[in-house]
Every structure is written in structure tokens, then in C-alpha cells.
Amino acid sequence: MSAKKWNVIVIGGLIAVLLILSGFTAFVDPFLHFGSGRDFLEYPLKDERYQNDGIARYYEYDSIITGTSMCQNFKCSEFNALWNAASIKIASSGASYHESCETISRALSRHDNIRYVLCSLDGNRLNYPPLYEEYDGYPTYLYDDNPFNDVNYLLNKEVLPKTVAVLNYTRSGQKTTTMDEYGRWNQYASFGKESVLASFTLLDEEEEALILTEEDLQQIRENVDTNFVKLAEAHPDTTFYLFFPPYSICYWEAMVRTKQLHAQLEAQKIAVELLLAVPNIQVYDFSDRLDITENLDNYTDTLHYGEWINSEILQMIAAGEGLLTDDHFVEYYDAIEKMYSQYDYTQYR
């Protein structure tokens, strides 16, 4: 056999293998890039940054739950019952404001009937650059409509095991992950004082208070305005429910000991003022709920609460509890600062 013929056979064989592998991935479509999934296959939904866009693109819904890990334990069934809605959950652990709003924006661009968006406003994400991305190596090839960069999906050695996993998942008799279970971490966590304090380092007290510089203030404004304000203004028929999660009493002690409490609450005042200027944004804060924040049985670490708190948050928002308004949010945060700066933190250790 001549070298030329051998080369043709080898190259042809490689092309054939690549076509088979890419066709296999496209057919099974583990990240739901081309559709909502094959009717005869069951899909394990657990790769949020890879599957969120497919869910947002192809599922039927009129409401969105998104944000960080503070939102992953929400149950769409509970939201749907309270708002008479059909929701999807497309949260991402550690998401910045930019990442959350990009997720929302892509969903809104493909569905013109979105009634409600529920999203966390994590206070520790306020003083970030407006285009900051927490995750290195975003699979942007899944997020656009460019068919040519789909090669990064179809011929990706890390995707092939995910494709096989769909077949094994189906063979095992399991069902496609529901929106209540998607992203949920509650079942893997330990809750209570022991778990929280194990994750909590009692920091030395700082002598000088943190002062927000003009650059900090400008960055906070740009972060909120570039993301949530502009997004909500572009979609006036969609109601945005944004909330500051109720972090545990340990978080507030850390704020006090490091003298960041005043700066943090000033940042939240700036954000709330900007957000409340948009008619279709509602902002909620539950930091005053000591019955939640000082009960360490509600938490797995200083920040993350159990799914029963997610359920309570839904109930409170639906009832209008914790709603901030123009005429009282400044007084609200002044009261929060007084309450946590004077709190006796020795009582929970």
C-alpha cells in the first residue's frame, strides 16, 4: 500500500470517528444546547453553567429564579403556587451581578412573556467591577447562536463522559432532574452551631473602620446600574424581586470585628437607592430577622441557610414582608447598624 493511500485511509478514518463522536454528542445533547432533550432520555441536571442556557432557551416558563448559591435551594413548585407562575431555576454558585444579569438577559431575549424574576443581591458582591466574572473559562460557545463555535461542544473530550452519563442515567431508571432539585445542595450539607463555627474564624478586631473611597462608591454604582438597573429598565413589563439574603449572626460579628459594618450598609444604601428608582424593581432585605440570623440551626456556614429559609423567603416576599421603600430604607439600615454593632456575640458561641 502506498504512503498516499495510507494517509487517505488514516485521515478518512479520523474524520469518520470525529463525525461519529460529534453526532453522538449532538444527538444526546447533554447540555441541552440544541433542544430540551430527547423524549426517551432522562437528563441529570447538575452542571449549571453548562446547562442553564439550554434550560433558559428551550423550557416553557414565564418566571425565572436565579442568583447565587443563596437561591439554589428555592423550589420552583413553591414559587409557582405563590405567584401562579411557571418558573425555571437557573442559579449559579458564586455568580457575580454581571453573571446573574447575563443569565437573565439571555432568557429575556428568547422569551417575551417573562412576568417575574427572583434574584439574590448578595451584599458581598456589591463592590465588584460591573463586568466581573467569578468563573474562569465560561463556556460562551454554548451561550450564543454561532453554529461554528459549537465544535467546542461537539468535539470536547470532557463532554463525552457527560453524554455517556445521560445514557447510564436513563438506563438506571432515574428521571430528569426537576426544577425543585436542580442545583439543590441542602441534602448534602450539615447544619447547626458545630458546622457554622467550624467554618468561622474569629478575626482580630481592627482599629480603624473601613471607609469607602470615591472609587469604591463609583464602582458600586456602576455595578448596580450596569447590571440590574439597565436590565430592568429594558424590560418594564417584568417584575424584578431582588433580595439581600439573611446572613448568619457570625457574618455580622465578622463585619463588626473588622469594622466593615458601616461601609457594607452604606454600600447597600447606595444600591437600594438606585434600584428603587426603577418602577418594576422591588428590593427586600431580611437582615433584621434575628429569629433567622441568630439561630445557627438555620445555617451550614456563616452565609448559607437551609432550604426551609428559602421557603420562608418566598412566603415573606409574596406577603410583602421585608420590602424596602424610598421613605424608610435609610432608617432601616441605620437600625441594622445599631442592632448588630451593639449585639452581644458571646451568647451564641
Side-chain angles (χ1 to χ4, degrees):
M1 182 183 298
S2 67
K4 181 178 181 180
K5 187 174 182 180
W6 172 253
N7 289 337
V8 169
I9 292 173
V10 170
I11 293 172
L14 287 174
I15 292 174
V17 169
L18 292 176
L19 287 174
I20 291 171
L21 290 176
S22 62
F24 179 46
T25 296
F27 179 79
V28 176
D29 195 14
F31 294 156
L32 308 178
H33 184 53
F34 302 114
S36 58
R38 300 289 177 181
D39 291 340
F40 52 87
L41 294 176
E42 305 294 338
Y43 289 78
L45 303 182
K46 57 183 180 180
D47 296 295
E48 293 169 325
R49 284 183 168 85
Y50 292 82
Q51 294 172 318
N52 276 350
D53 194 69
I55 291 169
R57 194 186 291 243
Y58 298 112
Y59 275 41
E60 295 292 330
Y61 58 95
D62 64 15
S63 300
I64 300 166
I65 298 173
T66 190
T68 64
S69 52
M70 300 297 163
C71 296
Q72 290 173 315
N73 286 330
F74 279 128
K75 293 181 179 178
C76 287
S77 60
E78 294 179 350
F79 182 95
N80 296 345
L82 289 167
W83 276 271
N84 189 27
S87 63
I88 57 169
K89 182 170 57 176
I90 44 176
S92 296
S93 181
S96 65
Y97 285 7
H98 175 63
E99 291 167 340
S100 292
C101 287
E102 283 290 286
T103 296
I104 299 167
S105 180
R106 287 193 298 272
L108 289 168
S109 71
R110 294 161 181 155
H111 295 260
D112 56 8
N113 64 331
I114 304 303
R115 299 162 59 204
Y116 307 115
V117 171
L118 173 66
C119 184
S120 58
L121 278 174
D122 299 63
N124 56 10
R125 293 288 189 269
L126 270 172
N127 197 2
Y128 274 55
L131 302 183
Y132 178 80
E133 293 185 346
E134 183 74 23
Y135 182 78
D136 185 28
Y138 247 80
T140 53
Y141 54 86
L142 295 173
Y143 300 163
D144 58 30
D145 296 314
N146 178 6
F148 297 104
N149 64 13
D150 286 347
V151 66
N152 295 296
Y153 174 48
L154 299 177
L155 293 177
N156 190 324
K157 62 181 174 50
E158 295 180 1
V159 175
L160 185 59
K162 303 289 185 180
T163 304
V164 175
V166 172
L167 303 182
N168 291 334
Y169 190 81
T170 302
R171 259 203 313 267
S172 69
Q174 300 183 75
K175 299 297 181 183
T176 297
T177 310
T178 68
M179 284 291 101
D180 281 0
E181 293 298 319
Y182 181 41
R184 177 175 172 262
W185 50 262
N186 190 89
Q187 68 275 31
Y188 306 115
S190 299
F191 295 90
K193 180 178 178 179
E194 184 176 342
S195 293
V196 176
L197 295 184
S199 70
F200 179 52
T201 301
L202 195 61
L203 301 172
D204 294 335
E205 290 197 40
E206 296 288 342
E207 294 183 1
E208 295 184 9
L210 175 67
I211 303 296
L212 295 175
T213 66
E214 284 301 319
E215 289 78 10
D216 290 328
L217 298 174
Q218 183 62 22
Q219 180 164 267
I220 292 165
R221 293 189 186 99
E222 289 180 357
N223 190 17
V224 174
D225 181 70
T226 300
N227 293 300
F228 288 106
V229 170
K230 283 186 167 53
L231 181 61
E233 286 178 339
H235 299 276
D237 296 328
T238 301
T239 299
F240 288 75
Y241 296 108
L242 308 179
F243 71 96
F244 288 99
Y247 296 149
S248 81
I249 198 69
C250 294
Y251 166 84
W252 294 107
E253 180 176 15
M255 289 291 102
V256 171
R257 293 181 70 86
T258 57
K259 290 187 169 53
Q260 297 182 62
L261 179 62
H262 179 76
Q264 177 61 46
L265 296 179
E266 286 300 304
Q268 292 183 213
K269 288 179 187 177
I270 292 169
V272 171
E273 183 177 16
L274 289 170
L275 294 167
L276 292 184
V278 186
N280 54 318
I281 291 180
Q282 295 183 20
V283 184
Y284 294 79
D285 196 316
F286 309 107
S287 302
D288 61 340
R289 289 289 304 273
L290 279 175
D291 59 316
I292 295 176
T293 63
E294 68 179 357
N295 181 0
L296 296 186
D297 287 339
N298 289 326
Y299 295 88
T300 185
D301 56 32
T302 61
L303 302 178
H304 295 87
Y305 40 76
E307 63 184 4
W308 54 93
I309 301 301
N310 291 86
S311 297
E312 189 168 352
I313 287 172
L314 290 181
Q315 295 284 345
M316 290 188 290
I317 292 176
E321 298 175 20
L323 178 65
L324 301 180
T325 61
D326 283 315
D327 58 358
H328 94 285
F329 78 88
V330 173
E331 290 79 7
Y332 172 83
Y333 283 116
D334 288 344
I336 292 297
E337 182 172 1
K338 181 178 180 181
M339 179 174 70
Y340 284 118
S341 62
Q342 297 178 356
Y343 188 87
D344 178 12
Y345 292 99
T346 63
Q347 64 183 303
Y348 71 83
R349 286 199 295 275

